[in-house]
Amino acid sequence: METGSANNIEAVADSLKDITLARDGNVAVITLNRPDKLNAWTAAMESSMRVALATCARDNTVRAIVVTGAGRGFCAGADMNLLQKIDADAGDERELAQATRNATLDWDVSLGPDISEHMGGRFGYLPQIPKPIIAAINGPCAGLGMVFALWCDMRVGAENMFFTTAFAKRGLIAEHGISWLLPELAGQAAAMDFLFSSRRVESDEALRVGLLNNVVPSQDLVSETVAYAQQMAQTVSPRSVAVMKAQVWKARFQPLTDAIKTGDDEMQKSFASEDFKEGVEHFVQKRAPNFTGR
């Protein structure tokens, strides 16, 4: 994974709008930063998020990514000013649609099986980032904000958070892949309930149905999520994580026999990696690992 000095976190952080990007050791922390608007999603936020995540994907020193919200909410969904301006005939010319319309993958996606044929739309690039992306959901997570959170690899929620699809209350539909993601995570009956009713799904229910990996006290949300990410950054092979992330996403589109073959092929490749050698040596030598991702 190449890292250019012009592409690291510090070089791009000041150019981002409606989000912030910071480094905490080997973990990048992205914060949706419109707290007065409950971090409602804007075209600038979408473009900046793409830049921030691409930067993290290219930076070898970043091993995991945490995304959270400033203030009392994660994301209230699309900014109402944008929704009010929508022209039904605009199609792909809508402001949000244009934010990453011509964006292309500009990071290394060579590790693991190719999943590009299955990934499209606004957020299909997230599964192709070869690092774990964890949403630390600190409050209301609605509409487009919920869609983004479900595209992340894992979700940790504060006790006071809640999800709501919101679409049916706005005369909209299940957008940007949530009609596929939500049943995959929570099951079809629960997905129908959440989509049709647009009701609030509180943290305890979200954990029970599989939308959250964990629930923690609000004041500890970011620190505990970053600590978990740091543990991964310090103890596991980034190469292994990148390959397994691609395997898991690919397996959703494969029959079992193909998933087994993919695993067998990737296992042979891993035997030739530096991280495999290091994984054995640090265990035998009873020392901390020094994985390089190669």
Side-chain angles (χ1 to χ4, degrees), residues 168-185:
K169 290 184 176 180
R170 303 288 175 266
L172 298 171
I173 50 79
E175 60 186 20
H176 306 308
I178 195 173
S179 61
W180 186 86
L181 291 164
L182 196 50
E184 282 283 309
L185 292 166

Side-chain angles (χ1 to χ4, degrees), residues 6 15 74 110 124 141 153 157 162 167 181 188 195 222 267:
S15 68
F74 183 78
S110 63
C141 183
D153 299 306
F162 66 86
F167 304 125
L181 291 164
Q188 181 167 320
L195 288 168
V222 174
M267 181 67 76

Side-chain angles (χ1 to χ4, degrees), residues 89-106:
D89 297 323
D92 287 343
E93 298 304 316
R94 288 181 292 113
E95 187 174 351
L96 269 179
Q98 290 188 68
T100 54
R101 179 180 178 186
N102 297 317
T104 57
L105 298 181
D106 57 354

Side-chain angles (χ1 to χ4, degrees), residues 63-64 132 134 154 227-238 241:
R63 299 286 176 90
I134 309 170
M154 290 174 273
Y228 170 73
Q230 289 282 21
Q231 182 180 33
M232 284 196 293
Q234 296 164 10
T235 61
V236 303
S237 158
V241 170

